[in-house]
């Protein structure tokens, strides 16, 4: 049992070290020796747990994708949340920004999915786009969008804002701050939401 626990800790250290390396250096530049050094283990120990850099990247992406699925779980899914789809969208973006700020594995997963030097197994930004579009379409069906605003108009603006924060935050974590997101929603929501369907960004506590 002690040996299994030690092995699990080593794997976790390697995944986190790989995420840090991929975030700081990019997939192509990150090296096995550098990752193992960050984790405080030998390269041989790394290869005992992972076949190489590609498997580490797939593991990081898988962890990030799982975290994103939790954030974007909506009504109709097992354990999903019901309610106003615009409120759900707004609330979930705050959760996502906090996750990006606090979890290097999630940040690395997004970076890897857009890294042209790595053959990614997932497209986290596309998953985010699809989910955002589904919620805005649901809002449209419920009459929650402003008059003259269609899901096809609203979705790109919201997706570009969320992804823009994810990209900018990779270099400057200040972009992940709740008050930054609040300012963005305070501009977007009055444009896309009907008066009776405010998404809830106003009045949020900021850090």
């Amino acid at each position: 049992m002690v040996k299994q626990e030690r092995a699990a800790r080593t794997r976790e250290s390697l995944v986190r070290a790989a995420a840090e390396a991929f975030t700081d250096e990019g997939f192509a530049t990150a090296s096995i020796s550098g990752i193992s050094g960050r984790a405080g283990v030998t390269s041989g120990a790394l290869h005992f747990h992972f076949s190489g850099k590609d498997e580490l990247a797939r593991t990081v992406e898988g962890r990030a994708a799982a975290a994103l699925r939790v954030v974007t779980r909506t009504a109709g899914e097992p354990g999903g949340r019901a309610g106003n789809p615009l409120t759900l969208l707004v609330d979930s973006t705050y959760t996502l920004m906090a996750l990006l700020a606090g979890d290097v594995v999630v940040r690395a997963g997004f970076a890897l999915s857009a890294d042209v030097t790595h053959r990614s197994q997932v497209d986290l930004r596309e998953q985010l786009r699809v989910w955002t579009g589904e919620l805005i379409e649901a809002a449209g069906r419920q009459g929650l969008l402003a008059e003259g605003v269609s899901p096809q108009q609203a979705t790109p603006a919201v997706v570009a804002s969320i992804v823009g924060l994810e990209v900018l935050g990779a270099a400057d974590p200040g972009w992940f701050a709740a008050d930054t997101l609040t300012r963005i929603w305070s501009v977007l929501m009055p444009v896309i939401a009907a008066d009776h369907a405010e998404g809830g960004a106003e009045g949020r506590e900021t850090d």
Side-chain angles (χ1 to χ4, degrees), residues 30-37 43 46-47 51-53 56:
S31 65
I32 291 296
S33 61
I35 293 170
S36 58
S43 296
L46 184 153
H47 283 295
S51 60
K53 197 165 65 169
L56 275 165

Side-chain angles (χ1 to χ4, degrees), residues 29 84 107 110 121 125 141 145 151 154 160 163 167 178 194 207:
T29 304
N84 182 323
R107 290 199 303 277
F110 272 92
Q121 301 297 306
R125 292 174 184 170
R141 290 192 296 271
L145 296 182
V163 173
V167 173
D207 297 328

Side-chain angles (χ1 to χ4, degrees), residues 45-158:
L46 184 153
H47 283 295
F48 177 80
H49 293 279
F50 296 96
S51 60
K53 197 165 65 169
D54 285 331
E55 186 182 0
L56 275 165
R58 289 193 297 270
T59 302
V60 168
E61 287 181 311
R63 295 273 189 93
L68 182 60
R69 283 194 296 272
V70 172
V71 172
T72 59
R73 186 174 293 163
T74 57
E77 297 179 354
R81 298 165 291 171
N84 182 323
L86 292 181
T87 300
L88 176 58
L89 175 61
V90 171
D91 288 348
S92 296
T93 59
Y94 282 92
T95 303
L96 177 60
M97 290 303 136
L99 190 62
L100 285 165
D103 192 335
V104 69
V105 174
V106 176
R107 290 199 303 277
F110 272 92
L112 284 168
S113 70
D115 191 330
V116 296
T117 67
H118 166 62
R119 186 172 296 177
S120 179
Q121 301 297 306
V122 297
D123 188 339
L124 298 181
R125 292 174 184 170
E126 174 63 12
Q127 291 179 19
L128 193 61
R129 184 198 66 78
V130 170
W131 169 77
T132 302
E134 289 174 349
L135 284 179
I136 293 177
E137 286 176 3
R141 290 192 296 271
Q142 295 178 31
L144 302 178
L145 296 182
E147 184 176 356
V149 174
S150 70
Q152 292 72 29
Q153 293 171 316
T155 298
V158 173

